[in-house]
């Protein structure tokens, strides 16, 4: 039986399955919900409201208030996020990156972006290091294509840049016991050593700014909530090493085009990759799971259910900026005025428009990869 069938929820940094209950995650992970007050403070600094915030796609945090308090008193922060390059980037990955760019522009901060080719190598029995490293460079093109500026965006490629990370990783690792790591990540007797040490590496960019610039400031990490276990252990040890605890702002997962779960590269027919050509996008969207009824006549009569529809989620997360229009779409769906074919057609158009542009910028990024490296 699958997790979906058992109604089970599994959310770890390396596995997300079943129907994700975000309220329950706040409770189980011990994070805080994003309040209206906090949201307004971010909007005040940004001078605008971002759809991912006002729709609560970012819904939970740790110490976001602390970071904003410090900022208002003159202590800046840096942003940190990352990517495990196990394959091509799909549009679910872009969701937190788009928001990160918004924060970067709003607060004029530096971003450290970690490309974890080492992580993907140690956690997957079949992975080849050459391949994950290659994906790292390819995935960086997607980040750059979103418009991050090289002046304040630093991409860290773990394997190539390990000389810069290793001393901090050792300090971190020395302060975390095996029993803590085991309890946090569920390590077993059969877990390989590389994997057991690896969380120390994900902690490094939280602290690296001090080493590079001499400035001791906190890091704020926008990321999907599955990464939270890393930050729990990092936060515990940060003060012992003389750093601020890293703060987080957590987002939901963009669902795949199938039933439940998150968009996953391991189910390619239900994921839209950034390099997909228009016909492929059309086919995938056409075959997507919706909240529609068996026949048109029935749907016209009783309406459909946007709350379970994968297509609707894409408008919500990315492709309908206008809240009024989103609400209209929802109502027209519920009342049977709009059919699934209509939504699929519109989504395909919007996706392909976005992807055509993105693919062009991605090509251009190939000449600029070096500009985003940390200079020694
Ligand atoms: N572990 C993440 C992954 O597998 C990659 C990552 C490294 C990351 N550092 C991060 C993600 C910081 C978010 C924030 O995808």
């Amino acid at each position: 039986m699958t997790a979906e069938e058992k109604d089970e929820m599994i959310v770890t940094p390396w596995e997300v399955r079943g129907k994700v209950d975000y309220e329950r995650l706040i409770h189980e992970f011990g994070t805080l919900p994003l309040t209206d007050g906090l949201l307004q403070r971010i909007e005040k600094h940004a001078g605008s409201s971002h759809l991912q915030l006002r729709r609560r796609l970012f819904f939970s945090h740790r110490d976001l208030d602390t970071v904003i308090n410090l900022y208002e008193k003159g202590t800046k922060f840096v942003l940190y996020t990352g990517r495990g390059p196990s394959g091509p980037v799909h549009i679910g990955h872009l969701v937190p990156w788009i928001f990160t760019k918004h924060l970067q522009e709003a607060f004029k901060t530096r971003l450290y972006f970690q490309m974890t080719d080492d992580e993907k190598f140690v956690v997957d029995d079949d992975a080849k290091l050459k391949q994950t490293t290659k994906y790292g460079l390819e995935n960086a093109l997607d980040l750059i294509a979103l418009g991050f500026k090289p002046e304040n965006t630093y991409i860290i490629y773990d394997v190539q840049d390990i000389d810069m990370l290793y001393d901090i990783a050792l300090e971190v690792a020395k302060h975390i016991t095996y029993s803590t790591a085991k309890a946090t990540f569920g390590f077993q007797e059969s877990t390989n050593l590389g994997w057991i040490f690896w969380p120390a590496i994900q902690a490094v960019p939280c602290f690296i700014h001090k080493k590079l610039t001499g400035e001791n400031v906190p890091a704020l990490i926008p990321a999907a909530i599955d990464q939270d276990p890393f930050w729990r252990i990092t936060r515990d040890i940060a003060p012992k090493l003389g750093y601020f605890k890293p703060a987080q702002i957590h987002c939901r997962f963009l669902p795949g085009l199938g039933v439940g779960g998150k968009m996953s590269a391991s189910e390619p027919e239900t994921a839209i990759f950034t390099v997909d050509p228009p016909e492929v996008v059309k086919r995938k969207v056409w075959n997507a799971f919706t909240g529609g009824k068996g026949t048109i006549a029935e749907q016209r009569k009783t309406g459909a259910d946007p709350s379970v529809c994968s297509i609707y989620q894409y408008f919500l997360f990315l492709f309908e900026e206008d809240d009024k229009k989103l609400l209209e779409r929802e109502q027209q769906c519920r009342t049977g005025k709009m059919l699934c074919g209509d939504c699929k057609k519109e989504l395909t158009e919007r996706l392909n428009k976005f992807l055509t542009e993105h693919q062009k910028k991605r090509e251009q990024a190939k000449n600029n990869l070096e500009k985003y490296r940390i200079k020694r």
Side-chain angles (χ1 to χ4, degrees):
M1 232 186 346
T2 64
E4 286 76 14
E5 285 158 354
K6 279 192 279 183
D7 225 15
E8 213 177 16
M9 168 175 85
I10 298 167
V11 178
T12 78
W14 300 291
E15 191 180 19
V16 176
R17 281 197 291 136
K19 186 168 164 27
V20 181
D21 178 340
Y22 292 99
E23 292 301 313
R24 201 176 119 197
L25 284 179
I26 288 183
H27 188 70
E28 285 180 8
F29 285 3
T31 66
L32 292 170
L34 193 75
T35 59
D36 289 340
L38 259 176
L39 185 145
Q40 282 158 9
R41 285 176 76 189
I42 299 181
E43 290 183 348
K44 194 187 90 202
H45 288 290
S48 65
S49 131
H50 197 276
L51 77 81
Q52 293 193 25
L53 270 185
R54 61 175 195 271
R55 293 181 191 164
R56 292 293 199 279
L57 303 177
F58 276 84
F59 68 102
S60 140
H61 76 101
R62 288 181 190 272
D63 263 349
L64 180 62
D65 45 346
T66 312
V67 164
I68 298 178
N69 287 343
L70 281 166
Y71 181 82
E72 288 172 352
K73 290 196 194 107
T75 303
K76 291 202 90 170
F77 59 88
V78 295
L79 289 163
Y80 163 35
T81 193
R83 155 84 183 140
S86 51
V89 164
H90 59 60
I91 61 167
H93 299 127
L94 301 184
V95 169
W97 302 356
I98 290 170
F99 183 65
T100 300
K101 182 157 173 281
H102 171 74
L103 287 180
Q104 187 185 43
E105 284 162 6
F107 292 93
K108 302 189 180 46
T109 60
R110 189 182 274 215
L111 165 67
Y112 293 102
F113 189 97
Q114 184 178 37
M115 206 54 92
T116 64
D117 48 355
D118 52 350
E119 175 191 19
K120 292 297 135 176
F121 173 64
V122 293
V123 306
D124 175 357
D125 285 344
D126 300 325
K128 302 275 180 288
L129 191 53
K130 272 215 170 71
Q131 187 62 44
T132 58
T133 297
K134 184 161 161 268
Y135 275 133
L137 288 167
E138 282 175 19
N139 292 179
L141 301 175
D142 287 292
L143 183 80
I144 296 171
L146 292 179
F148 286 93
K149 300 277 179 297
E151 297 81 65
N152 56 0
T153 305
Y154 294 80
I155 305 176
I156 298 167
Y157 301 91
D158 282 350
V159 173
Q160 283 191 62
D161 292 330
I162 191 65
D163 57 329
M164 259 182 325
L165 313 178
Y166 197 49
D167 53 350
I168 303 177
L170 284 175
E171 293 281 357
V172 169
K174 191 172 178 176
H175 288 83
I176 297 170
T177 64
Y178 177 59
S179 82
T180 299
K182 189 175 171 205
T184 308
F185 297 108
F187 292 145
Q188 320 238 314
E189 293 291 314
S190 59
T191 306
N192 73 63
L193 262 186
W195 191 346
I196 292 168
F197 174 75
W198 196 79
I201 304 272
Q202 179 148 330
V204 174
C206 299
F207 307 137
I208 201 168
H209 187 72
K210 184 174 174 193
K211 173 171 158 178
L212 296 176
T213 66
E215 266 177 357
N216 196 7
V217 297
L220 171 63
I221 307 167
I225 188 143
D226 60 329
Q227 298 297 305
D228 188 69
F230 286 108
W231 320 130
R232 288 202 290 268
I233 52 167
T234 310
R235 286 168 59 81
D236 280 348
I237 56 125
K240 291 180 202 155
L241 301 181
Y243 299 109
F244 284 99
K245 291 185 179 193
Q248 284 88 57
I249 177 161
H250 303 113
C251 69
R252 298 169 198 264
F253 308 107
L254 177 68
L257 293 167
V259 188
K262 70 165 180 175
M263 186 174 274
S264 165
S266 57
E267 292 171 56
E269 274 308 304
T270 67
I272 305 285
F273 296 105
T274 59
V275 291
D276 277 347
E279 327 76 75
V280 171
V281 171
K282 187 170 170 192
R283 183 190 71 225
K284 287 179 179 177
V285 171
W286 205 252
N287 292 329
F289 173 75
T290 68
K293 298 288 162 63
T295 65
I296 293 184
E298 192 191 346
Q299 189 157 335
R300 287 269 185 233
K301 209 157 102 205
T302 60
D305 182 2
S307 72
V308 298
C309 174
S310 69
I311 301 288
Y312 175 76
Q313 299 291 318
Y314 290 78
F315 288 109
L316 175 77
F317 274 70
L318 288 162
F319 293 109
E320 183 52 83
E321 274 279 340
D322 186 329
D323 293 346
K324 256 204 350 246
K325 288 197 184 141
L326 186 71
L327 187 66
E328 263 167 40
R329 182 178 299 279
E330 189 188 330
Q331 284 163 347
Q332 293 197 334
C333 167
R334 285 193 196 284
T335 53
K337 284 207 188 85
M338 199 179 237
L339 298 176
C340 298
D342 303 326
C343 279
K344 286 178 172 175
K345 190 161 161 285
E346 274 183 59
L347 181 65
T348 303
E349 281 164 14
R350 289 193 206 191
L351 264 168
N352 281 334
K353 185 161 167 255
F354 169 78
L355 289 179
T356 308
E357 230 358 77
H358 183 83
Q359 287 163 9
K360 244 192 262 159
K361 295 186 191 141
R362 205 177 168 279
E363 275 310 304
Q364 291 160 2
K366 290 184 176 163
N367 301 319
N368 295 330
L369 279 170
E370 273 308 308
K371 296 188 186 149
Y372 294 81
R373 299 288 304 273
I374 298 181
K375 312 275 175 308
R376 283 137 215 269

